[in-house]
Amino acid sequence: MTGLTPEGIEIDRDIAAPASRVFEAFTRAEDFAVWFGTDQVNVPAEELDFVAEPGREWRATMVLPDGNRIHWTGEFREVTPDTRVVFTLTDQPDDPARAEVRVELTPFGEGTRVHVEQDTPGFPDDAKRATIAGYEGFLDTLQRLVTA
């Protein structure tokens, strides 16, 4: 299911790639920079600190087409090869509040079902829908990356 939940949002996507490759895209810095940036945004390698290990903080900068920058930070909470990644994120690095994102990967046939949940405390429904749209863009790019 893709939609709003009482706690936040959830998105399901079937991707025609093995779970190991999809997991790699979620946990390898070079891949993260591609899908997190999508086709519209640059995530410069020199402003990316991204090592997927539990307890490790990560940082990334998005450079928007108009030149504005969004600074992201979070922490990896769980990294289970080929099946699960849990991390936090925020675009307000000075604020200690972080949204938790849970990614579950389930093999099916020749591909992988990706299930993403993100907590969205205090988000109105229109902001939740915008967050879903953002993830859809991420997953479109991730899908192209892992099936190329």
Side-chain angles (χ1 to χ4, degrees), residues 29-51:
E30 304 85 58
D31 289 341
F32 175 81
V34 171
W35 66 260
F36 195 67
T38 71
D39 298 329
Q40 307 299 315
V41 177
N42 183 33
V43 177
E46 63 275 7
E47 296 184 51
L48 178 62
D49 179 6
F50 191 87
V51 178

Side-chain angles (χ1 to χ4, degrees), residues 104-127:
E104 299 280 344
L105 306 175
T106 306
F108 78 96
E110 299 282 322
T112 305
R113 175 154 297 134
V114 178
H115 180 78
V116 178
E117 296 178 353
Q118 179 182 320
D119 296 336
T120 56
F123 283 36
D125 285 352
D126 60 334

Side-chain angles (χ1 to χ4, degrees), residues 2-146:
T2 295
L4 309 183
T5 69
E7 298 80 27
I9 62 157
E10 66 181 356
I11 301 160
D12 286 318
R13 174 77 63 99
D14 292 342
I15 297 179
S20 59
R21 178 61 184 111
V22 176
F23 176 81
E24 184 177 66
F26 273 101
T27 58
R28 193 169 74 167
E30 304 85 58
D31 289 341
F32 175 81
V34 171
W35 66 260
F36 195 67
T38 71
D39 298 329
Q40 307 299 315
V41 177
N42 183 33
V43 177
E46 63 275 7
E47 296 184 51
L48 178 62
D49 179 6
F50 191 87
V51 178
E53 296 174 350
R56 175 120 182 199
E57 288 193 16
W58 65 271
R59 297 187 192 311
T61 300
M62 288 179 158
V63 181
L64 305 177
D66 65 5
N68 283 321
R69 293 172 173 274
I70 302 174
H71 300 282
W72 293 87
T73 191
E75 178 185 350
F76 285 98
R77 292 193 170 161
E78 184 180 338
V79 180
T80 305
D82 303 343
T83 60
R84 184 171 164 88
V85 180
V86 179
F87 60 95
T88 63
L89 76 136
T90 183
D91 62 357
Q92 303 294 317
D94 294 332
D95 184 345
R98 306 281 189 264
E100 184 173 88
V101 178
R102 295 166 298 283
V103 179
E104 299 280 344
L105 306 175
T106 306
F108 78 96
E110 299 282 322
T112 305
R113 175 154 297 134
V114 178
H115 180 78
V116 178
E117 296 178 353
Q118 179 182 320
D119 296 336
T120 56
F123 283 36
D125 285 352
D126 60 334
K128 289 181 182 184
R129 284 189 282 280
T131 302
I132 290 172
Y135 273 105
E136 293 287 3
F138 292 160
L139 291 172
D140 289 346
T141 304
L142 186 143
Q143 185 167 333
R144 285 192 300 276
L145 177 68
V146 301

